[in-house]
Amino acid sequence: MITHRELFLKNVAQTSDFPLALEIEKAEGVYMYGKDGKQYMDLISGIGVSNVGHRHPKVVEAIKNQVDKYLHLMVYGEYVQSPQVELAEALVKTLIPKVENIQPLDNVYFTNSGTEAVEGAMKLAKRFTGRQEIISCFNAYHGATQGALSLSGSENFKRNFRPLLPEIRNIRHGVMEDLAFITEKTAAIIIEIVGGEAGVRIPSKEYFLALRKRCDETKTLLILDEIQSGFGRTGTFWAFEQFEIYPDVLLCAKGMGGGMPIGAFIANHEVMAVFKNNPILGHITTFGGHPVSAASSLATLKVILEENLLDAVKAKAALFKSLLVHEKIKEVRNQGLMMAVEFEDFDTLKPIIDRAIEKGVVTDWFLFCDNSMRIAPPLIITEEEIRKACEVILESV
């Protein structure tokens, strides 16, 4: 009889010649369980998704309650659906500016994923400003659809899919002098607060203040990509809160859904209103803000805030850093529980990742920093679990 693993390799489209191919039958909290009952600690949260852990009871309850009411009803933006409305209100409450004279982000457009949030934000910037140029950073990853891929700062990922969008410029993340490339011709700059796939790179507060000032001077929209860093990953609900700036457009997904697919781009009413006319229905989606995903996301948001998960992020990250000490570890970079453990090269790192998985701890590497180990555990991870995970990693080293 053909196995699920064989069917996976035969019928499910592959994106590499060496998929992990772990066969998982159950997941709960920080753990996943294989067909043979083997336990795996998920130190990457499904790549930044399971911020509140796998199958958090309150998230599962919200999903079940919504399933009993209704599923898809109508394309986005036509019907009043309570899960969407309540989630939008809750998101807006997390985005109240800390200073006066800033127009708050109070209009949420729901999508199915982070890459779709990027696509919508790119269209929004062009339509609102009437400009075409969009700036992103080298070694940035914003998604794999053609518009989002055009922003990528890695030619290796783009060259075989050209032609892509014109008038895209890449600058260096965190380099002050490159801000001069933002001009009156620039519709928007899309930038991560924490450079994720670059291997957790964190610019200074002064850089982001200068970036905000430059965007104001040139009337360029500042789009912050918090698809990986949002929903508590860095110790505040949004990473930008730690840098004293406020965006014109905010992108979120991944940890937003509690394990369900959802994303959003968020702006103010004036900016978002351009989708209403010339043309009407300037951006549309069938399944964006699916009611079950929206219910799951609202429950996730409430868990993060009501269970005070943000309060312990700094201490948990510090514990990781204090334990991950070895002559082969060159550096540990982090912003909260978004972490990169640097080794000499990929040839050193890959066997360590493989051995750790064999020992029941799942880690990963970064697209544009393949000598660094990704660590981004569920925020609910305990001190005991951190100690166990680090023990396994060091044994694997």
Side-chain angles (χ1 to χ4, degrees), residues 225-260:
D225 180 342
E226 291 234 27
I227 290 167
Q228 283 198 59
S229 60
F231 271 69
R233 173 56 52 194
T234 67
T236 48
F237 198 87
W238 304 107
F240 76 77
E241 296 174 55
Q242 300 171 44
F243 293 86
E244 298 180 8
I245 62 167
Y246 197 80
D248 299 304
V249 184
L250 180 67
L251 312 180
C252 52
K254 286 190 180 290
M256 175 183 184
M260 293 291 287

Side-chain angles (χ1 to χ4, degrees), residues 86-97 105 238 301 305:
E86 292 170 15
L87 174 57
E89 180 191 32
L91 285 168
V92 167
K93 285 181 177 177
T94 70
L95 290 165
I96 297 172
L105 303 182
W238 304 107
L301 188 155
L305 298 180

Side-chain angles (χ1 to χ4, degrees), residues 70-295:
Y70 57 83
L71 302 180
H72 174 77
L73 298 178
M74 178 60 166
V75 296
Y76 179 84
E78 295 297 330
Y79 290 174
V80 179
Q81 300 182 49
S82 59
Q84 289 182 356
V85 172
E86 292 170 15
L87 174 57
E89 180 191 32
L91 285 168
V92 167
K93 285 181 177 177
T94 70
L95 290 165
I96 297 172
K98 290 182 171 60
V99 296
E100 296 180 0
N101 303 319
I102 292 180
Q103 199 166 357
L105 303 182
D106 55 5
N107 221 225
V108 184
Y109 195 111
F110 291 114
T111 64
N112 299 285
S113 66
T115 227
E116 290 182 39
V118 171
E119 294 283 352
M122 292 174 76
K123 288 176 63 179
L124 186 67
K126 289 181 176 182
R127 178 70 181 82
F128 181 75
T129 64
R131 305 171 184 177
Q132 287 76 47
E133 180 184 77
I134 297 179
I135 291 176
S136 61
C137 292
F138 291 109
N139 289 334
Y141 178 80
H142 298 290
T145 51
Q146 290 201 70
L149 182 63
S150 301
L151 298 172
S152 173
S154 170
E155 184 60 29
N156 182 52
F157 277 81
K158 294 193 293 189
R159 67 170 58 92
N160 289 326
F161 300 103
R162 291 191 178 280
L164 295 170
L165 289 182
E167 298 194 55
I168 303 293
R169 177 191 287 271
N170 295 130
I171 63 173
R172 292 171 293 178
H173 190 250
V175 177
M176 198 78 76
E177 63 204 66
D178 283 14
L179 298 182
F181 290 112
I182 302 170
T183 71
E184 287 76 9
K185 296 181 179 180
T186 311
I189 176 169
I190 176 169
I191 189 169
E192 300 165 284
I193 289 285
V194 180
E197 296 308 316
V200 185
R201 309 292 177 172
I202 306 121
S204 66
K205 184 182 293 184
E206 290 72 25
Y207 172 80
F208 281 112
L209 291 172
L211 170 62
R212 177 68 273 180
K213 181 181 178 184
R214 183 63 180 167
C215 287
D216 290 340
E217 291 170 348
T218 59
K219 294 182 169 53
T220 297
L221 292 185
L222 174 56
I223 302 174
L224 293 185
D225 180 342
E226 291 234 27
I227 290 167
Q228 283 198 59
S229 60
F231 271 69
R233 173 56 52 194
T234 67
T236 48
F237 198 87
W238 304 107
F240 76 77
E241 296 174 55
Q242 300 171 44
F243 293 86
E244 298 180 8
I245 62 167
Y246 197 80
D248 299 304
V249 184
L250 180 67
L251 312 180
C252 52
K254 286 190 180 290
M256 175 183 184
M260 293 291 287
I262 189 170
F265 56 102
I266 309 171
N268 62 51
H269 272 79
E270 178 189 2
V271 174
M272 201 72 82
V274 298
F275 280 153
K276 293 180 182 179
N277 54 68
N278 193 27
I280 189 173
L281 304 175
H283 194 66
I284 51 179
T285 172
T286 298
F287 293 114
H290 190 281
V292 179
S293 292

